Amino acid sequence: MPAIVSVAEAIPEHVLRQDQVMDFARDLFSESFKDIERLLKAFRNGQIEKRHFAKGLEWFKTDKSFEERNNAYIDQAIDLGTKAIKCCLENDIFLSKNLPCKEIDAIFTISSSGIATPSIEARIMNRLPFSEHTKRIPIWGLGCAGGASGLSRAYEYCLAFPEAKVLVLSIELCSLTFQRNDRSKSNLIGTSLFADGAACALITGDDVKRDFQKLSSIPRILGTQSTTMRNSLEVMGWEVKNEGLYVVFSKDIPSIIESWLKPNVTEFLRGKGKKMEEINHFVAHPGGKKVIDAYQKALKFDPSMTRISLDVLKEFGNMSSATILYVLKRFMEIGRLGDTGLAAALGPGFSSELLLLEWE
């Protein structure tokens, strides 16, 4: 089965503490909500301590056109994506030697927070020495589920081409979509939660001679499952308007997870001959503190199973599709031979992506 060999992060330079963003939101939203102090509790209850952004706080205090935001997205995505790839292929934690870009057969680029044609990986290929024959598979619109979905699609590619070395590059600059004139509760909650970040994972097929692998045990992917709930388009996503992308974020997400996720996971594990009790590592996308709590309730997991996801949320916030790769990196650093992992992420559609992992 294809294996995940290396994962690396690229973190934007601007760091904002949650109190700073809360003060910004108070100034912006106080005229729109009489109960602003009650609503601002979301900033504290979410347990996020800091986040990283592509731009400093001053940038968000003035109106920006869709063009300005998207141009900033392209510039920052190229820089962060280039950094993430280099860190993934030149990684002292996971690799015993550097892997040349020219040996990469395909790049899956995952993003939902900006638009670029040519896509971001094409622009990065003008900076890094990839082969001109490297296959490009940009995937847009999967939101928070995108990182897990990218891993699944890379897994399928490596099943078809077992000699392949594939990158999953996730870049999300959620802050650049911020609409300062959108005084909806969805935007207020989004302001308390979303952040920027990029990450890159290296997946290899069975026939690859992994003489560059440093860890004694790495996760291989045993199988995946994609599920889309019917008639749930309004749960999360973007509403596209003249000014840009407006966040859609239903307050019912935690309750939907509680009722829908367990049957989905149970069906997936049963099909792979596994039980919930056999899962050692829950590699969960931390959509928010309420989402993590809903995972625990739905799957009857001990809070220790979601500790790493919560730690990533506290340190980085919700970076949409990239976040699960940050979580995966931390599990790869502690995983041992024979461990079993379940990776899970939820996104627009409303959809889920599940992967079953086993450390070999």
Side-chain angles (χ1 to χ4, degrees):
M1 295 291 105
I4 306 168
V5 184
S6 177
V7 181
E9 305 159 352
I11 303 170
E13 62 174 307
H14 297 281
V15 183
L16 292 178
R17 309 296 300 182
Q18 190 72 330
D19 285 347
Q20 292 176 270
V21 187
M22 185 174 69
D23 291 341
F24 170 77
R26 179 185 288 110
D27 292 340
L28 189 64
F29 289 96
S30 57
E31 293 183 3
S32 302
F33 298 106
K34 294 180 179 179
D35 56 346
I36 185 64
E37 293 303 324
R38 180 182 65 83
L39 295 174
L40 288 175
K41 290 180 181 178
F43 284 80
R44 296 191 181 93
N45 296 340
Q47 297 190 15
I48 295 172
E49 295 177 357
K50 71 172 177 66
R51 286 176 279 167
H52 295 257
F53 294 114
K55 298 288 187 179
L57 192 58
E58 289 298 317
W59 192 85
F60 300 97
K61 293 182 178 180
T62 58
D63 290 336
K64 298 291 188 297
S65 68
F66 195 179
E67 180 180 2
E68 287 177 291
R69 280 193 288 269
N70 202 68
N71 285 340
Y73 164 83
I74 292 172
D75 291 343
Q76 294 289 324
I78 294 169
D79 288 345
L80 287 169
T82 300
K83 181 179 178 182
I85 289 172
K86 291 183 68 175
C87 290
C88 181
L89 299 181
E90 302 172 5
N91 197 301
D92 292 339
I93 298 174
F94 300 118
L95 302 180
S96 60
K97 62 181 181 180
N98 295 346
L99 192 65
C101 290
K102 66 181 180 180
E103 293 188 17
I104 299 301
D105 297 279
I107 306 172
F108 290 78
T109 305
I110 315 299
S111 190
S112 296
S113 46
I115 301 169
T117 304
S119 49
I120 297 298
E121 78 287 339
R123 300 164 192 254
I124 291 174
M125 286 172 68
N126 288 319
R127 290 195 180 186
L128 297 177
F130 285 96
S131 165
E132 61 188 19
H133 301 299
T134 302
K135 296 178 178 64
R136 297 166 41 221
I137 307 100
I139 301 177
W140 196 91
L142 293 173
C144 293
S149 296
L151 293 173
S152 294
R153 306 294 80 82
Y155 155 78
E156 291 159 357
Y157 186 97
C158 289
L159 284 180
F161 304 100
E163 295 181 353
K165 303 181 186 79
V166 175
L167 294 181
V168 175
L169 175 63
S170 177
I171 307 167
E172 299 290 6
L173 303 174
C174 304
S175 74
L176 299 181
T177 69
F178 175 70
Q179 300 288 344
R180 63 187 306 274
N181 295 314
D182 176 9
R183 305 304 166 86
S184 66
K185 288 186 179 179
S186 286
N187 194 34
L188 178 62
I189 297 302
T191 304
S192 76
L193 182 62
F194 288 106
D196 302 342
C200 185
L202 170 66
I203 294 88
T204 63
D206 282 351
D207 293 348
V208 173
K209 182 181 179 183
R210 295 199 301 265
D211 56 349
F212 45 83
Q213 176 186 327
K214 187 173 184 178
L215 296 186
S216 59
S217 182
I218 57 175
R220 59 181 181 141
I221 303 172
L222 301 184
T224 72
Q225 178 174 283
S226 304
T227 308
T228 301
M229 179 188 293
R230 296 188 187 278
N231 303 315
S232 61
L233 302 180
E234 74 287 349
V235 174
M236 64 168 66
W238 296 122
E239 187 176 358
V240 183
K241 300 184 180 182
N242 290 338
E243 298 80 12
L245 306 175
Y246 284 66
V247 65
V248 176
F249 200 65
S250 171
K251 61 181 176 58
D252 297 325
I253 292 172
S255 61
I256 292 172
I257 293 171
E258 286 185 39
S259 62
W260 183 68
L261 186 61
K262 185 173 182 180
N264 194 13
V265 170
T266 301
E267 175 190 3
F268 173 54
L269 293 181
R270 185 186 298 121
K272 300 300 177 184
K274 295 287 185 180
K275 298 180 180 178
M276 206 82 74
E277 298 76 24
E278 297 178 71
I279 302 299
N280 305 111
H281 305 305
F282 184 41
V283 186
H285 166 77
K289 179 60 169 63
K290 288 185 177 180
V291 170
I292 292 175
D293 292 342
Y295 284 146
Q296 294 174 3
K297 291 179 183 178
L299 302 178
K300 302 296 188 290
F301 277 150
D302 185 90
S304 63
M305 293 286 281
T306 54
R307 179 185 58 80
I308 289 179
S309 291
L310 184 58
D311 287 346
V312 169
L313 183 69
K314 285 181 178 179
E315 188 175 356
F316 298 102
N318 183 348
M319 301 167 285
S320 192
S321 67
T323 323
I324 194 171
L325 298 183
Y326 282 57
V327 177
L328 175 63
K329 175 180 179 288
R330 286 151 179 78
F331 275 109
M332 286 183 63
E333 292 172 352
I334 65 171
R336 297 183 178 181
L337 182 67
D339 285 353
T340 299
L342 173 67
L346 306 169
F350 182 69
S351 61
S352 76
E353 190 73 30
L354 303 174
L355 297 95
L356 185 61
L357 309 174
E358 184 176 81
W359 270 254
E360 66 169 9

Coordinates of all heavy atoms in Angstrom, one line a residue, residues 84-124:
A84 N 6.9 25.1 1.5 CA 6.4 23.8 2.0 C 7.0 22.7 1.2 O 7.4 21.6 1.8 CB 4.9 23.8 1.9
I85 N 7.1 22.8 -0.1 CA 7.7 21.7 -0.9 C 9.1 21.5 -0.5 O 9.6 20.3 -0.3 CB 7.5 22.0 -2.4 CG1 6.1 21.9 -2.8 CG2 8.4 21.1 -3.2 CD1 5.8 22.4 -4.2
K86 N 9.9 22.6 -0.4 CA 11.3 22.4 -0.1 C 11.5 21.8 1.3 O 12.4 20.9 1.4 CB 12.0 23.8 -0.1 CG 12.1 24.4 -1.5 CD 12.9 25.7 -1.5 CE 14.3 25.5 -1.2 NZ 15.1 26.8 -1.3
C87 N 10.7 22.2 2.2 CA 10.8 21.6 3.6 C 10.4 20.2 3.6 O 10.9 19.4 4.4 CB 9.9 22.4 4.6 SG 10.6 24.1 4.9
C88 N 9.5 19.8 2.7 CA 9.0 18.4 2.7 C 10.1 17.5 2.0 O 10.3 16.4 2.5 CB 7.7 18.3 1.9 SG 7.0 16.6 1.7
L89 N 10.8 18.0 1.0 CA 11.8 17.2 0.3 C 13.2 17.3 0.9 O 14.1 16.5 0.5 CB 11.8 17.6 -1.2 CG 10.5 17.4 -1.9 CD1 10.6 17.8 -3.4 CD2 10.0 16.0 -1.9
E90 N 13.4 18.2 1.8 CA 14.7 18.4 2.5 C 14.4 18.4 4.0 O 14.7 19.3 4.7 CB 15.3 19.7 2.0 CG 15.5 19.8 0.5 CD 15.9 21.2 0.1 OE1 16.2 22.1 1.0 OE2 16.0 21.4 -1.1
N91 N 13.9 17.3 4.5 CA 13.3 17.2 5.8 C 14.2 16.4 6.7 O 14.3 15.1 6.5 CB 11.9 16.7 5.8 CG 11.1 16.9 7.1 OD1 11.5 16.5 8.1 ND2 10.0 17.7 7.0
D92 N 14.8 17.0 7.7 CA 15.8 16.2 8.6 C 15.0 15.3 9.5 O 15.6 14.3 10.0 CB 16.6 17.2 9.5 CG 17.5 18.0 8.6 OD1 17.9 17.6 7.5 OD2 17.9 19.1 9.1
I93 N 13.7 15.5 9.8 CA 13.0 14.6 10.6 C 12.6 13.3 9.9 O 12.8 12.2 10.5 CB 11.7 15.3 11.2 CG1 12.1 16.5 12.0 CG2 10.9 14.3 12.0 CD1 10.9 17.4 12.4
F94 N 12.2 13.4 8.7 CA 11.6 12.3 8.0 C 12.5 11.7 6.9 O 12.3 10.5 6.5 CB 10.2 12.7 7.4 CG 9.2 13.1 8.4 CD1 8.7 14.4 8.3 CD2 8.8 12.3 9.4 CE1 7.8 14.9 9.3 CE2 7.9 12.7 10.3 CZ 7.4 14.0 10.3
L95 N 13.5 12.4 6.4 CA 14.3 11.9 5.3 C 15.7 11.8 5.7 O 16.3 12.7 6.3 CB 14.1 12.9 4.1 CG 12.7 13.1 3.6 CD1 12.7 14.0 2.4 CD2 12.0 11.8 3.2
S96 N 16.4 10.8 5.2 CA 17.8 10.6 5.5 C 18.7 11.4 4.5 O 19.9 11.6 4.7 CB 18.2 9.1 5.4 OG 17.9 8.6 4.2
K97 N 18.1 11.8 3.4 CA 18.7 12.6 2.4 C 17.7 13.4 1.6 O 16.5 13.0 1.6 CB 19.6 11.7 1.4 CG 18.8 10.7 0.6 CD 19.7 9.9 -0.3 CE 18.9 8.9 -1.2 NZ 19.8 8.1 -2.0
N98 N 18.1 14.4 1.0 CA 17.2 15.3 0.2 C 16.7 14.5 -1.0 O 17.4 13.8 -1.7 CB 17.8 16.6 -0.2 CG 18.2 17.4 1.0 OD1 17.7 17.2 2.1 ND2 19.0 18.4 0.7
L99 N 15.4 14.8 -1.4 CA 14.8 14.2 -2.6 C 14.7 15.3 -3.6 O 14.1 16.3 -3.4 CB 13.4 13.6 -2.2 CG 12.8 12.7 -3.3 CD1 13.6 11.4 -3.5 CD2 11.4 12.4 -2.9
P100 N 15.3 15.1 -4.8 CA 15.2 16.1 -5.8 C 13.8 16.3 -6.4 O 13.0 15.4 -6.5 CB 16.1 15.6 -7.0 CG 17.0 14.5 -6.3 CD 16.1 13.9 -5.2
C101 N 13.5 17.6 -6.7 CA 12.2 17.9 -7.2 C 11.9 17.1 -8.5 O 10.7 16.7 -8.8 CB 12.0 19.4 -7.5 SG 12.0 20.4 -6.1
K102 N 12.9 16.9 -9.3 CA 12.8 16.2 -10.6 C 12.3 14.8 -10.5 O 11.8 14.2 -11.5 CB 14.1 16.3 -11.4 CG 15.2 15.5 -10.8 CD 16.5 15.6 -11.7 CE 17.6 14.8 -11.0 NZ 18.9 14.9 -11.9
E103 N 12.4 14.2 -9.3 CA 11.9 12.8 -9.1 C 10.4 12.7 -8.7 O 9.9 11.7 -8.6 CB 12.7 12.1 -8.0 CG 14.2 11.9 -8.4 CD 14.9 11.1 -7.3 OE1 14.2 10.4 -6.5 OE2 16.2 11.1 -7.4
I104 N 9.8 13.9 -8.6 CA 8.4 13.9 -8.3 C 7.5 13.7 -9.5 O 7.7 14.4 -10.5 CB 8.0 15.2 -7.6 CG1 8.7 15.4 -6.3 CG2 6.5 15.3 -7.3 CD1 8.5 14.3 -5.3
D105 N 6.6 12.8 -9.5 CA 5.8 12.4 -10.7 C 4.6 13.3 -10.8 O 4.1 13.5 -11.9 CB 5.5 11.0 -10.7 CG 6.7 10.1 -10.7 OD1 7.2 9.8 -11.8 OD2 7.1 9.6 -9.6
A106 N 4.0 13.7 -9.7 CA 2.7 14.4 -9.7 C 2.6 15.3 -8.5 O 3.1 15.0 -7.4 CB 1.5 13.5 -9.8
I107 N 1.9 16.4 -8.7 CA 1.6 17.3 -7.6 C 0.1 17.5 -7.5 O -0.5 18.0 -8.5 CB 2.3 18.7 -7.8 CG1 3.8 18.6 -8.0 CG2 2.0 19.6 -6.5 CD1 4.5 19.9 -8.4
F108 N -0.5 17.2 -6.4 CA -1.9 17.5 -6.1 C -1.9 18.8 -5.3 O -1.4 18.8 -4.2 CB -2.6 16.4 -5.3 CG -2.8 15.1 -6.1 CD1 -1.7 14.2 -6.3 CD2 -4.0 14.8 -6.6 CE1 -1.9 13.1 -7.1 CE2 -4.3 13.6 -7.3 CZ -3.2 12.8 -7.6
T109 N -2.5 19.9 -5.9 CA -2.5 21.1 -5.2 C -3.9 21.4 -4.7 O -4.9 21.4 -5.5 CB -2.1 22.3 -6.1 OG1 -0.8 22.0 -6.6 CG2 -2.0 23.6 -5.3
I110 N -4.0 21.6 -3.4 CA -5.3 21.7 -2.7 C -5.5 23.1 -2.2 O -4.7 23.6 -1.5 CB -5.5 20.7 -1.5 CG1 -5.0 19.3 -1.9 CG2 -6.9 20.7 -1.0 CD1 -5.7 18.6 -3.0
S111 N -6.6 23.8 -2.6 CA -6.9 25.1 -2.0 C -8.4 25.4 -2.3 O -9.0 24.9 -3.2 CB -6.0 26.1 -2.7 OG -6.1 27.4 -2.0
S112 N -8.9 26.3 -1.5 CA -10.3 26.8 -1.7 C -10.4 28.3 -1.4 O -11.5 28.8 -1.3 CB -11.3 26.0 -0.8 OG -11.3 24.7 -1.2
S113 N -9.3 29.0 -1.1 CA -9.3 30.3 -0.6 C -8.9 31.4 -1.6 O -8.7 32.5 -1.2 CB -8.6 30.4 0.7 OG -7.3 29.8 0.6
G114 N -8.6 31.0 -2.8 CA -8.2 31.9 -3.9 C -8.3 31.2 -5.2 O -8.5 30.0 -5.3
I115 N -8.2 32.0 -6.3 CA -8.3 31.5 -7.6 C -7.1 31.8 -8.4 O -6.6 32.9 -8.4 CB -9.6 32.1 -8.3 CG1 -10.8 31.8 -7.5 CG2 -9.7 31.6 -9.8 CD1 -12.0 32.6 -8.0
A116 N -6.6 30.8 -9.2 CA -5.4 31.1 -10.0 C -5.4 30.1 -11.2 O -5.5 28.9 -11.1 CB -4.1 30.8 -9.1
T117 N -5.3 30.7 -12.4 CA -5.1 30.0 -13.6 C -4.1 30.7 -14.4 O -4.4 31.9 -14.8 CB -6.4 29.8 -14.4 OG1 -7.4 29.2 -13.6 CG2 -6.2 29.0 -15.6
P118 N -2.9 30.2 -14.7 CA -2.4 28.9 -14.3 C -2.4 28.7 -12.8 O -2.3 29.6 -12.0 CB -1.0 28.9 -14.9 CG -0.9 29.9 -15.9 CD -1.9 31.0 -15.4
S119 N -2.6 27.4 -12.4 CA -2.7 27.1 -11.0 C -1.4 27.3 -10.3 O -0.3 27.5 -10.9 CB -3.2 25.7 -10.8 OG -2.5 24.8 -11.6
I120 N -1.4 27.3 -9.0 CA -0.3 27.6 -8.1 C 0.9 26.8 -8.4 O 2.1 27.2 -8.5 CB -0.7 27.6 -6.6 CG1 -1.8 28.6 -6.3 CG2 0.5 27.9 -5.7 CD1 -1.4 30.1 -6.6
E121 N 0.7 25.4 -8.6 CA 1.9 24.6 -8.7 C 2.6 24.9 -10.1 O 3.8 24.7 -10.2 CB 1.5 23.1 -8.6 CG 0.8 22.5 -9.8 CD -0.6 22.9 -10.0 OE1 -1.2 23.4 -9.0 OE2 -1.1 22.8 -11.1
A122 N 1.9 25.3 -11.1 CA 2.5 25.7 -12.3 C 3.5 26.9 -12.1 O 4.6 26.9 -12.7 CB 1.5 26.1 -13.4
R123 N 3.1 27.8 -11.3 CA 3.9 29.0 -11.0 C 5.1 28.6 -10.1 O 6.2 29.1 -10.3 CB 3.0 30.0 -10.3 CG 1.8 30.5 -11.1 CD 0.8 31.2 -10.3 NE -0.5 31.4 -11.1 CZ -0.9 32.5 -11.6 NH1 -0.1 33.6 -11.5 NH2 -2.0 32.6 -12.3
I124 N 4.9 27.6 -9.2 CA 6.0 27.1 -8.4 C 7.0 26.4 -9.2 O 8.2 26.4 -8.9 CB 5.4 26.3 -7.2 CG1 4.6 27.1 -6.2 CG2 6.5 25.5 -6.5 CD1 3.9 26.3 -5.1

